[in-house]
């Protein structure tokens, strides 16, 4: 779907379906006066998530009107506008309307630009459907266009919202492909395609290159698979004189657990174990389109984690890229092994900061459920930037401690480190503490996105099932903030 802006006052909007968002307890705009009686009859009071629909039967310049309640002003957050926009798109789809118009509301204390960006994001994210493998297309209906209207020019905000949401949808589309299609090689190919489109420099390190570089983590995890591993490096503004940031994303195209095999119930969801790496692709796309004044390098270590006669075994001791030895006590704690190599490589570039995204632990879902990503960082300023970006994008983060005692828990009896803590205590923190061992003195933040990268229940704008691309808008916004700092 495409988003457009049209400068027009509410009284002059023409078309098929117009959606307006109304605040509980506030006066109905006079242009909508003709609906006032009927709204009363239908007890529409603009309560949060309440809707009212009318066929205007020639009484207005538009054929249908949908009013979405925003609830009370004091409880209103920017994300409620994303949700209302999502509801509008769902309603358009229900009415089989190819186009939907949304009038940007004037809300005290919310800049019209911010409102327009949020509405654009909500609408575009809600319109995303993964239909790649559906061969019967007749029953599939797609809303093709959303037009935002307002008396003031908000076209810039609609453009911004489109960049953010399109990047997230791009990631969601790739996330959804299953492991037999989205192999490490296929994802590397996609990364190269993006690089060409966005003029990024791309380097693909194949298995041979990884062996030469002594990337022992990636090589150990991929040993059991017939799919060779790759490490993709994408560079935005390569060679330019801007401050450098690095991204790293966990790209396990399928996590069966390896020899430490996972239970089969729900195992298919482990095709989503690559979403950290795919988020890197999404952020690179958005940053390039936003033309942010930074240099950005994205690293995507890509591998399958499956058992076989050649797979790594519990108890194996491996050597990572930076020369540390790791005792692999559980082959299902594989994400940290591939990230160890990639983080150490990223740190060599001496960036201002490294941000990694990873579906690292099931424990983070126990801690935070599906409403926030775990944040682990060695830098308070970076924590604040990510926290602010999370509140703005509604891809919220929650910070955990990284005290030295947690690092102690990852020391091995027989090697430098072990890849799991005893009894699984503090599973998400000890995983992050393990990662921290590989970033040297770089400023670094790790986002554990295992709880937020997919939805299982209907969401107002992230669909009813599948990949959410959560993290793309968050990290893009954080980089946009960092780019404004001197
Ligand atoms: N990819 C999983 C984490 C995960 C679990 C993501 C559930 C999404 C949903 C990760 O590789 C893993 O298996 N972690 C183990 C670590 C354990 C062996 C210390 C886990 O969380 O159980
Ligand atoms: Zn695992
Ligand atoms: Zn995993």
């Amino acid at each position: 779907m495409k988003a457009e802006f049209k400068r027009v006052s509410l009284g002059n909007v023409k078309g098929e379906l117009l959606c307006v968002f109304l605040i509980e307890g506030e006066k109905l705009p006079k242009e909508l006066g003709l609906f006032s009686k009927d709204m009363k009859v239908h007890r529409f009071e603009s309560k949060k998530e309440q809707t009212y629909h009318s066929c205007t039967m020639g009484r207005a310049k538009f054929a249908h009107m949908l009013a979405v309640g925003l609830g009370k002003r004091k409880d209103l957050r920017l994300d409620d506008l994303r949700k209302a926009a999502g509801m509008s798109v769902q309603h358009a789809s229900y009415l089989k309307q190819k186009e939907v118009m949304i009038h940007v509301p004037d809300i005290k204390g919310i800049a019209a630009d911010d409102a327009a960006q949020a509405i654009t994001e909500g609408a575009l994210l809600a319109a995303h459907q993964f239909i790649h493998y559906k061969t019967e297309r007749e029953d599939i209906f797609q809303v093709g266009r959303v037009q935002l209207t307002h008396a003031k020019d908000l076209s810039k905000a609609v453009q911004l919202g489109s960049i953010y949401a399109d990047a997230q949808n791009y990631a969601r589309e790739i996330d959804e492909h299953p492991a037999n299609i989205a192999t490490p090689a296929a994802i590397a190919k996609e990364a190269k395609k993006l690089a060409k489109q966005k003029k990024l420099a791309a380097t693909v390190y194949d298995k041979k290159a990884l062996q030469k570089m002594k990337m022992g983590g990636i090589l150990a995890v991929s040993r059991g698979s017939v799919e060779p591993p790759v490490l993709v490096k994408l560079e935005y503004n390569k060679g330019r004189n801007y401050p450098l940031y690095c991204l790293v994303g966990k790209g396990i195209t399928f996590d069966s657990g390896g020899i430490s095999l996972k239970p089969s119930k729900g195992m298919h969801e482990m095709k989503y174990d690559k979403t950290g790496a795919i988020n890197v692709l999404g952020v690179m796309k958005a940053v390039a389109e936003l033309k942010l004044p930074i240099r950005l390098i994205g690293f995507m270590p890509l591998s399958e984690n499956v058992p076989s006669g050649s797979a790594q075994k519990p108890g194996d001791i491996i050597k990572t890229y930076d020369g540390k030895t790791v005792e692999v006590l559980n082959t299902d704690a594989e994400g940290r092994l591939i990230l160890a190599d990639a983080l150490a490589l990223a740190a060599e570039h001496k960036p201002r900061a490294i941000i990694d995204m990873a579906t690292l632990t099931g424990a983070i879902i126990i801690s935070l459920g599906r409403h926030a990503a775990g944040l682990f960082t060695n830098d308070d300023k970076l924590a604040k930037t990510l926290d602010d970006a999370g509140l703005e994008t509604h891809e919220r983060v929650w910070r955990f401690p990284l005290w030295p005692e947690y690092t102690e828990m990852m020391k091995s009896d027989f090697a430098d480190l072990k890849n799991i803590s005893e009894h699984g205590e503090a599973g998400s923190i000890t995983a992050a503490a393990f990662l921290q061992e590989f970033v040297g003195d770089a400023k670094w933040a790790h986002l554990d996105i295992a709880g937020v990268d997919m939805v299982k229940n209907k969401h107002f704008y992230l669909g009813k099932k599948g990949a959410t691309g959560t993290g793309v808008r968050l990290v893009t916004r954080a980089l946009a903030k960092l780019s404004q700092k001197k």
Side-chain angles (χ1 to χ4, degrees):
M1 184 166 85
K2 274 212 162 4
E4 287 170 10
F5 177 76
K6 188 168 185 187
R7 191 169 175 173
V8 54
S9 62
L10 185 54
N12 290 317
V13 176
K14 279 193 206 84
E16 280 298 310
L17 169 62
L18 172 67
C19 302
V20 295
F21 304 162
L22 302 171
I23 291 179
E24 189 178 340
E26 289 189 3
K27 246 183 86 196
L28 194 66
K30 61 178 186 316
E31 295 88 344
L32 302 176
L34 68 126
F35 302 105
S36 142
K37 239 191 190 159
D38 198 40
M39 280 178 172
K40 273 203 191 101
V41 172
H42 287 89
R43 300 198 173 195
F44 175 74
E45 292 158 341
S46 306
K47 290 202 185 309
K48 199 179 276 242
E49 292 154 29
Q50 200 185 9
T51 54
Y52 163 85
H53 172 250
S54 171
C55 288
T56 62
M57 310 275 202
R59 292 172 298 156
K61 293 173 184 158
F62 36 87
H64 299 269
M65 202 276 292
L66 177 78
V68 182
L70 294 176
K72 297 201 175 76
R73 172 65 191 94
K74 69 171 176 48
D75 302 326
L76 186 70
R77 294 175 299 183
L78 203 54
D79 199 56
D80 295 313
L81 298 178
R82 286 190 197 94
K83 288 184 185 169
M87 290 170 78
S88 304
V89 168
Q90 282 165 27
H91 197 77
S93 172
Y94 168 72
L95 291 176
K96 295 246 185 317
Q97 295 287 332
K98 278 273 168 211
E99 280 183 30
V100 54
M101 296 181 296
I102 302 177
H103 195 73
V104 180
D106 289 307
I107 302 169
K108 247 183 247 130
I110 295 183
D113 284 280
D114 291 342
Q117 182 174 346
I119 291 169
T120 306
E121 289 173 3
L124 292 177
L125 291 170
H128 176 79
Q129 289 183 69
F130 185 77
I131 55 170
H132 192 88
Y133 297 102
K134 298 273 188 197
T135 58
E136 284 175 23
R137 298 271 171 119
E138 291 84 54
D139 298 339
I140 299 167
F141 183 82
Q142 282 180 304
V143 184
R145 192 166 78 128
V146 58
Q147 189 173 66
L148 278 75
T149 59
H150 195 270
K152 267 201 327 225
D153 179 21
L154 302 173
S155 50
K156 195 87 208 289
V158 172
Q159 226 173 26
L160 271 181
S162 299
I163 291 176
Y164 275 84
D166 287 347
Q168 184 167 348
N169 282 340
Y170 168 70
R172 287 165 88 188
E173 184 76 16
I174 303 170
D175 289 340
E176 215 58 68
H177 285 286
N180 60 327
I181 306 293
T183 57
I187 295 172
K189 198 169 159 200
E190 177 60 42
K192 274 202 196 154
K193 191 170 133 198
L194 179 76
K196 202 162 172 206
Q197 280 167 3
K198 300 295 159 196
K199 300 196 168 55
L200 311 169
T203 316
V204 175
Y205 301 98
D206 62 8
K207 187 173 168 185
K208 240 188 170 162
L210 295 172
Q211 279 165 339
K212 230 171 152 182
M213 292 159 86
K214 300 200 163 73
M215 292 269 174
I218 302 173
L219 291 166
V221 171
S222 64
R223 270 182 51 170
S225 175
V226 294
E227 298 294 342
V230 280
L231 173 66
V232 178
K233 178 184 184 188
L234 294 176
E235 296 177 74
Y236 163 70
N237 271 344
K238 185 181 179 186
R240 304 277 305 269
N241 192 23
Y242 291 119
L244 172 67
Y245 293 91
C246 285
L247 300 177
V248 177
K250 171 176 171 181
I252 295 294
T253 56
F254 190 77
D255 183 11
S256 70
I259 296 292
S260 312
L261 195 63
K262 286 181 182 296
S264 55
K265 187 168 181 279
M267 199 201 269
H268 61 280
E269 286 172 3
M270 283 301 131
K271 72 170 182 177
Y272 296 123
D273 213 21
K274 61 184 180 289
T275 54
I278 306 304
N279 277 358
V280 170
L281 280 185
V283 177
M284 298 295 305
K285 171 170 151 63
V287 165
E289 289 175 8
L290 292 168
K291 301 194 170 63
L292 293 186
I294 56 169
R295 214 145 55 86
L296 185 63
I297 308 182
F299 294 95
M300 307 158 62
L302 296 155
S303 170
E304 256 185 4
N305 184 28
V306 292
S308 78
S310 61
Q312 67 168 339
K313 300 160 290 293
D316 282 4
I317 294 177
I318 62 167
K319 198 177 243 182
T320 55
Y321 174 63
D322 68 340
K324 286 195 185 68
T325 54
V326 179
E327 187 186 11
V328 181
L329 290 177
N330 189 319
T331 64
D332 197 10
E334 83 298 337
R336 59 199 80 181
L337 302 178
I338 65 166
L339 290 171
D341 287 344
L343 286 168
L345 181 63
E348 275 183 358
H349 291 73
K350 301 279 171 218
R352 288 235 179 142
I354 303 172
I355 301 175
D356 81 67
M357 290 175 276
T359 47
L360 203 63
T361 65
I364 203 70
I365 313 176
I366 308 291
S367 305
L368 296 172
R370 303 201 172 267
H371 303 295
L375 168 63
F376 307 80
T377 176
N378 55 12
D379 187 75
D380 292 345
K381 278 194 190 144
L382 196 53
K384 169 95 172 68
T385 303
L386 283 160
D387 189 49
D388 289 347
L391 291 172
E392 289 166 22
T393 56
H394 207 70
E395 296 189 337
R396 293 167 297 180
V397 300
W398 195 257
R399 190 178 181 184
F400 287 76
L402 275 176
W403 297 315
E405 287 84 350
Y406 295 112
T407 310
E408 276 309 307
M409 291 167 75
M410 300 306 279
K411 300 266 161 81
S412 158
D413 295 324
F414 307 112
D416 299 333
L417 294 165
K418 54 189 177 192
N419 77 332
I420 55 165
S421 64
E422 223 150 319
H423 315 303
E425 288 178 355
S428 303
I429 305 178
T430 49
F434 179 92
L435 297 184
Q436 184 171 228
E437 291 303 288
F438 297 89
V439 298
D441 51 14
K443 290 179 182 167
W444 153 82
H446 155 60
L447 295 163
D448 194 334
I449 58 169
V452 294
D453 71 322
M454 57 173 286
V455 279
K456 290 182 164 194
N457 298 309
K458 197 167 187 303
H459 184 280
F460 286 99
Y461 57 86
L462 292 174
K464 57 177 192 285
K465 211 172 182 192
T468 62
T470 298
V472 172
R473 282 183 302 117
L474 164 72
V475 172
T476 305
R477 182 69 64 100
L479 290 170
K481 284 176 180 296
L482 291 168
S483 76
Q484 285 161 7
K485 292 188 181 144
K486 284 283 153 268

